[in-house]
Amino acid sequence: MAARSYPIVADVNVRSGPGTSYRKVGRLSAGSRVTIACQKPGETVTGPTGTSKIWDRIGSGRYVSDTYVRTGSSGYVAPRC
């Protein structure tokens, strides 16, 4: 099965770990799409789709808060990291 991609709903910083205190390693623009490799709990963030402690790993050392990704779910949609 092909990996599913999800749309980014607002501009968001990409972090090196699951929290805003981690180093910024990039930025994604609203409308771009990401593939979620896995998800893990981290800092609770309030974003465009609500409040969540789930962070999505979109690459090696690349995390975005799940509240900026339209997954259609408030829970986990990928394996735990």
Side-chain angles (χ1 to χ4, degrees):
M1 187 171 122
R4 183 147 174 229
S5 71
Y6 299 94
I8 297 292
V9 296
D11 293 358
V12 61
N13 291 324
V14 180
R15 301 285 179 175
S16 63
T20 58
S21 60
Y22 287 87
R23 188 169 53 87
K24 185 174 147 184
V25 294
R27 189 159 175 80
L28 292 169
S29 299
S32 56
R33 297 184 76 86
V34 294
T35 300
I36 300 171
C38 59
Q39 295 174 299
K40 71 188 303 179
E43 179 186 344
T44 298
V45 170
T46 299
T49 66
T51 300
S52 177
K53 65 177 185 174
I54 298 173
W55 284 73
D56 304 334
R57 186 163 81 84
I58 58 169
S60 180
R62 294 173 59 83
Y63 290 85
V64 293
S65 167
D66 192 60
T67 63
Y68 284 84
V69 184
R70 183 169 288 124
T71 61
S73 169
S74 60
Y76 289 86
V77 297
R80 299 276 182 114
C81 296

PDB file of all heavy atoms in Angstrom, residues 35-57:
ATOM      1  N   THR A  35       4.042  13.146   4.010  1.00  0.00           N
ATOM      2  CA  THR A  35       3.796  11.738   4.308  1.00  0.00           C
ATOM      3  C   THR A  35       4.260  11.511   5.740  1.00  0.00           C
ATOM      4  O   THR A  35       5.390  11.877   6.095  1.00  0.00           O
ATOM      5  CB  THR A  35       4.574  10.833   3.334  1.00  0.00           C
ATOM      6  OG1 THR A  35       4.133  11.109   2.009  1.00  0.00           O
ATOM      7  CG2 THR A  35       4.334   9.364   3.653  1.00  0.00           C
ATOM      8  N   ILE A  36       3.396  10.955   6.567  1.00  0.00           N
ATOM      9  CA  ILE A  36       3.709  10.741   7.979  1.00  0.00           C
ATOM     10  C   ILE A  36       4.346   9.359   8.145  1.00  0.00           C
ATOM     11  O   ILE A  36       3.696   8.341   7.901  1.00  0.00           O
ATOM     12  CB  ILE A  36       2.447  10.866   8.849  1.00  0.00           C
ATOM     13  CG1 ILE A  36       1.835  12.262   8.691  1.00  0.00           C
ATOM     14  CG2 ILE A  36       2.764  10.562  10.307  1.00  0.00           C
ATOM     15  CD1 ILE A  36       0.469  12.414   9.348  1.00  0.00           C
ATOM     16  N   ALA A  37       5.621   9.341   8.537  1.00  0.00           N
ATOM     17  CA  ALA A  37       6.330   8.071   8.740  1.00  0.00           C
ATOM     18  C   ALA A  37       5.834   7.396  10.009  1.00  0.00           C
ATOM     19  O   ALA A  37       5.615   6.185  10.047  1.00  0.00           O
ATOM     20  CB  ALA A  37       7.829   8.319   8.812  1.00  0.00           C
ATOM     21  N   CYS A  38       5.678   8.195  11.060  1.00  0.00           N
ATOM     22  CA  CYS A  38       5.189   7.689  12.338  1.00  0.00           C
ATOM     23  C   CYS A  38       4.801   8.888  13.185  1.00  0.00           C
ATOM     24  O   CYS A  38       5.066  10.031  12.810  1.00  0.00           O
ATOM     25  CB  CYS A  38       6.249   6.831  13.037  1.00  0.00           C
ATOM     26  SG  CYS A  38       7.802   7.681  13.367  1.00  0.00           S
ATOM     27  N   GLN A  39       4.173   8.619  14.317  1.00  0.00           N
ATOM     28  CA  GLN A  39       3.717   9.694  15.200  1.00  0.00           C
ATOM     29  C   GLN A  39       4.123   9.393  16.623  1.00  0.00           C
ATOM     30  O   GLN A  39       4.245   8.230  17.014  1.00  0.00           O
ATOM     31  CB  GLN A  39       2.191   9.823  15.117  1.00  0.00           C
ATOM     32  CG  GLN A  39       1.697  10.268  13.760  1.00  0.00           C
ATOM     33  CD  GLN A  39       0.184  10.253  13.679  1.00  0.00           C
ATOM     34  OE1 GLN A  39      -0.449   9.224  13.837  1.00  0.00           O
ATOM     35  NE2 GLN A  39      -0.407  11.422  13.453  1.00  0.00           N
ATOM     36  N   LYS A  40       4.357  10.472  17.391  1.00  0.00           N
ATOM     37  CA  LYS A  40       4.696  10.279  18.805  1.00  0.00           C
ATOM     38  C   LYS A  40       4.159  11.421  19.632  1.00  0.00           C
ATOM     39  O   LYS A  40       3.970  12.525  19.123  1.00  0.00           O
ATOM     40  CB  LYS A  40       6.206  10.124  18.971  1.00  0.00           C
ATOM     41  CG  LYS A  40       7.001  11.393  18.755  1.00  0.00           C
ATOM     42  CD  LYS A  40       8.505  11.137  18.735  1.00  0.00           C
ATOM     43  CE  LYS A  40       9.007  10.476  19.986  1.00  0.00           C
ATOM     44  NZ  LYS A  40      10.450  10.219  19.952  1.00  0.00           N
ATOM     45  N   PRO A  41       3.898  11.165  20.925  1.00  0.00           N
ATOM     46  CA  PRO A  41       3.441  12.246  21.790  1.00  0.00           C
ATOM     47  C   PRO A  41       4.586  13.193  22.116  1.00  0.00           C
ATOM     48  O   PRO A  41       5.739  12.772  22.214  1.00  0.00           O
ATOM     49  CB  PRO A  41       2.943  11.519  23.038  1.00  0.00           C
ATOM     50  CG  PRO A  41       3.645  10.203  23.044  1.00  0.00           C
ATOM     51  CD  PRO A  41       3.946   9.876  21.617  1.00  0.00           C
ATOM     52  N   GLY A  42       4.262  14.462  22.252  1.00  0.00           N
ATOM     53  CA  GLY A  42       5.264  15.470  22.601  1.00  0.00           C
ATOM     54  C   GLY A  42       4.575  16.654  23.238  1.00  0.00           C
ATOM     55  O   GLY A  42       3.551  16.497  23.911  1.00  0.00           O
ATOM     56  N   GLU A  43       5.121  17.828  23.001  1.00  0.00           N
ATOM     57  CA  GLU A  43       4.549  19.054  23.564  1.00  0.00           C
ATOM     58  C   GLU A  43       3.129  19.259  23.042  1.00  0.00           C
ATOM     59  O   GLU A  43       2.862  19.057  21.858  1.00  0.00           O
ATOM     60  CB  GLU A  43       5.426  20.237  23.152  1.00  0.00           C
ATOM     61  CG  GLU A  43       4.914  21.574  23.652  1.00  0.00           C
ATOM     62  CD  GLU A  43       5.725  22.741  23.098  1.00  0.00           C
ATOM     63  OE1 GLU A  43       6.832  22.523  22.582  1.00  0.00           O
ATOM     64  OE2 GLU A  43       5.230  23.866  23.196  1.00  0.00           O
ATOM     65  N   THR A  44       2.222  19.661  23.921  1.00  0.00           N
ATOM     66  CA  THR A  44       0.855  19.973  23.499  1.00  0.00           C
ATOM     67  C   THR A  44       0.852  21.313  22.771  1.00  0.00           C
ATOM     68  O   THR A  44       1.409  22.298  23.265  1.00  0.00           O
ATOM     69  CB  THR A  44      -0.089  20.024  24.717  1.00  0.00           C
ATOM     70  OG1 THR A  44      -0.094  18.723  25.329  1.00  0.00           O
ATOM     71  CG2 THR A  44      -1.508  20.386  24.311  1.00  0.00           C
ATOM     72  N   VAL A  45       0.239  21.324  21.595  1.00  0.00           N
ATOM     73  CA  VAL A  45       0.200  22.513  20.753  1.00  0.00           C
ATOM     74  C   VAL A  45      -1.242  22.776  20.337  1.00  0.00           C
ATOM     75  O   VAL A  45      -1.990  21.841  20.064  1.00  0.00           O
ATOM     76  CB  VAL A  45       1.073  22.304  19.482  1.00  0.00           C
ATOM     77  CG1 VAL A  45       0.852  23.414  18.471  1.00  0.00           C
ATOM     78  CG2 VAL A  45       2.541  22.221  19.850  1.00  0.00           C
ATOM     79  N   THR A  46      -1.629  24.047  20.310  1.00  0.00           N
ATOM     80  CA  THR A  46      -2.911  24.431  19.747  1.00  0.00           C
ATOM     81  C   THR A  46      -2.654  25.044  18.380  1.00  0.00           C
ATOM     82  O   THR A  46      -1.883  25.994  18.253  1.00  0.00           O
ATOM     83  CB  THR A  46      -3.644  25.434  20.652  1.00  0.00           C
ATOM     84  OG1 THR A  46      -3.881  24.804  21.911  1.00  0.00           O
ATOM     85  CG2 THR A  46      -4.974  25.859  20.047  1.00  0.00           C
ATOM     86  N   GLY A  47      -3.253  24.460  17.374  1.00  0.00           N
ATOM     87  CA  GLY A  47      -3.049  24.916  15.996  1.00  0.00           C
ATOM     88  C   GLY A  47      -4.371  25.031  15.270  1.00  0.00           C
ATOM     89  O   GLY A  47      -5.438  24.982  15.895  1.00  0.00           O
ATOM     90  N   PRO A  48      -4.319  25.149  13.951  1.00  0.00           N
ATOM     91  CA  PRO A  48      -5.531  25.383  13.156  1.00  0.00           C
ATOM     92  C   PRO A  48      -6.589  24.294  13.280  1.00  0.00           C
ATOM     93  O   PRO A  48      -7.767  24.567  13.128  1.00  0.00           O
ATOM     94  CB  PRO A  48      -5.011  25.438  11.718  1.00  0.00           C
ATOM     95  CG  PRO A  48      -3.552  25.648  11.820  1.00  0.00           C
ATOM     96  CD  PRO A  48      -3.109  25.131  13.144  1.00  0.00           C
ATOM     97  N   THR A  49      -6.198  23.044  13.565  1.00  0.00           N
ATOM     98  CA  THR A  49      -7.187  21.968  13.636  1.00  0.00           C
ATOM     99  C   THR A  49      -7.529  21.576  15.071  1.00  0.00           C
ATOM    100  O   THR A  49      -8.227  20.593  15.292  1.00  0.00           O
ATOM    101  CB  THR A  49      -6.718  20.713  12.866  1.00  0.00           C
ATOM    102  OG1 THR A  49      -5.564  20.171  13.526  1.00  0.00           O
ATOM    103  CG2 THR A  49      -6.372  21.037  11.424  1.00  0.00           C
ATOM    104  N   GLY A  50      -7.035  22.336  16.047  1.00  0.00           N
ATOM    105  CA  GLY A  50      -7.368  22.031  17.436  1.00  0.00           C
ATOM    106  C   GLY A  50      -6.128  21.933  18.306  1.00  0.00           C
ATOM    107  O   GLY A  50      -5.081  22.474  17.966  1.00  0.00           O
ATOM    108  N   THR A  51      -6.254  21.217  19.423  1.00  0.00           N
ATOM    109  CA  THR A  51      -5.151  21.065  20.367  1.00  0.00           C
ATOM    110  C   THR A  51      -4.775  19.586  20.444  1.00  0.00           C
ATOM    111  O   THR A  51      -5.652  18.730  20.549  1.00  0.00           O
ATOM    112  CB  THR A  51      -5.563  21.579  21.759  1.00  0.00           C
ATOM    113  OG1 THR A  51      -5.918  22.956  21.640  1.00  0.00           O
ATOM    114  CG2 THR A  51      -4.426  21.436  22.760  1.00  0.00           C
ATOM    115  N   SER A  52      -3.476  19.314  20.351  1.00  0.00           N
ATOM    116  CA  SER A  52      -3.021  17.928  20.366  1.00  0.00           C
ATOM    117  C   SER A  52      -1.593  17.862  20.871  1.00  0.00           C
ATOM    118  O   SER A  52      -0.832  18.815  20.746  1.00  0.00           O
ATOM    119  CB  SER A  52      -3.094  17.337  18.955  1.00  0.00           C
ATOM    120  OG  SER A  52      -2.585  16.011  18.932  1.00  0.00           O
ATOM    121  N   LYS A  53      -1.244  16.707  21.432  1.00  0.00           N
ATOM    122  CA  LYS A  53       0.146  16.457  21.811  1.00  0.00           C
ATOM    123  C   LYS A  53       0.822  15.511  20.804  1.00  0.00           C
ATOM    124  O   LYS A  53       1.948  15.098  20.996  1.00  0.00           O
ATOM    125  CB  LYS A  53       0.226  15.883  23.225  1.00  0.00           C
ATOM    126  CG  LYS A  53      -0.393  14.521  23.369  1.00  0.00           C
ATOM    127  CD  LYS A  53      -0.220  13.957  24.766  1.00  0.00           C
ATOM    128  CE  LYS A  53      -0.756  12.533  24.770  1.00  0.00           C
ATOM    129  NZ  LYS A  53      -0.538  11.808  25.970  1.00  0.00           N
ATOM    130  N   ILE A  54       0.107  15.183  19.724  1.00  0.00           N
ATOM    131  CA  ILE A  54       0.665  14.287  18.707  1.00  0.00           C
ATOM    132  C   ILE A  54       1.563  15.076  17.753  1.00  0.00           C
ATOM    133  O   ILE A  54       1.195  16.148  17.279  1.00  0.00           O
ATOM    134  CB  ILE A  54      -0.455  13.590  17.909  1.00  0.00           C
ATOM    135  CG1 ILE A  54      -1.314  12.731  18.832  1.00  0.00           C
ATOM    136  CG2 ILE A  54       0.137  12.732  16.778  1.00  0.00           C
ATOM    137  CD1 ILE A  54      -2.542  12.129  18.168  1.00  0.00           C
ATOM    138  N   TRP A  55       2.744  14.533  17.500  1.00  0.00           N
ATOM    139  CA  TRP A  55       3.681  15.101  16.532  1.00  0.00           C
ATOM    140  C   TRP A  55       3.914  14.077  15.428  1.00  0.00           C
ATOM    141  O   TRP A  55       4.025  12.877  15.688  1.00  0.00           O
ATOM    142  CB  TRP A  55       4.992  15.477  17.212  1.00  0.00           C
ATOM    143  CG  TRP A  55       4.829  16.744  18.007  1.00  0.00           C
ATOM    144  CD1 TRP A  55       4.153  16.891  19.186  1.00  0.00           C
ATOM    145  CD2 TRP A  55       5.320  18.038  17.663  1.00  0.00           C
ATOM    146  NE1 TRP A  55       4.189  18.203  19.600  1.00  0.00           N
ATOM    147  CE2 TRP A  55       4.904  18.928  18.683  1.00  0.00           C
ATOM    148  CE3 TRP A  55       6.068  18.538  16.603  1.00  0.00           C
ATOM    149  CZ2 TRP A  55       5.216  20.289  18.666  1.00  0.00           C
ATOM    150  CZ3 TRP A  55       6.377  19.887  16.585  1.00  0.00           C
ATOM    151  CH2 TRP A  55       5.960  20.755  17.598  1.00  0.00           C
ATOM    152  N   ASP A  56       3.988  14.561  14.195  1.00  0.00           N
ATOM    153  CA  ASP A  56       4.149  13.703  13.029  1.00  0.00           C
ATOM    154  C   ASP A  56       5.597  13.750  12.544  1.00  0.00           C
ATOM    155  O   ASP A  56       6.123  14.841  12.299  1.00  0.00           O
ATOM    156  CB  ASP A  56       3.238  14.191  11.895  1.00  0.00           C
ATOM    157  CG  ASP A  56       1.770  14.257  12.316  1.00  0.00           C
ATOM    158  OD1 ASP A  56       1.387  13.507  13.223  1.00  0.00           O
ATOM    159  OD2 ASP A  56       1.026  15.045  11.717  1.00  0.00           O
ATOM    160  N   ARG A  57       6.222  12.571  12.400  1.00  0.00           N
ATOM    161  CA  ARG A  57       7.573  12.533  11.839  1.00  0.00           C
ATOM    162  C   ARG A  57       7.436  12.421  10.334  1.00  0.00           C
ATOM    163  O   ARG A  57       6.863  11.463   9.822  1.00  0.00           O
ATOM    164  CB  ARG A  57       8.378  11.350  12.381  1.00  0.00           C
ATOM    165  CG  ARG A  57       9.827  11.401  11.912  1.00  0.00           C
ATOM    166  CD  ARG A  57      10.729  10.508  12.739  1.00  0.00           C
ATOM    167  NE  ARG A  57      10.686   9.118  12.339  1.00  0.00           N
ATOM    168  CZ  ARG A  57      11.426   8.605  11.337  1.00  0.00           C
ATOM    169  NH1 ARG A  57      12.261   9.354  10.670  1.00  0.00           N
ATOM    170  NH2 ARG A  57      11.307   7.330  11.043  1.00  0.00           N
TER     171      ARG A  57
END
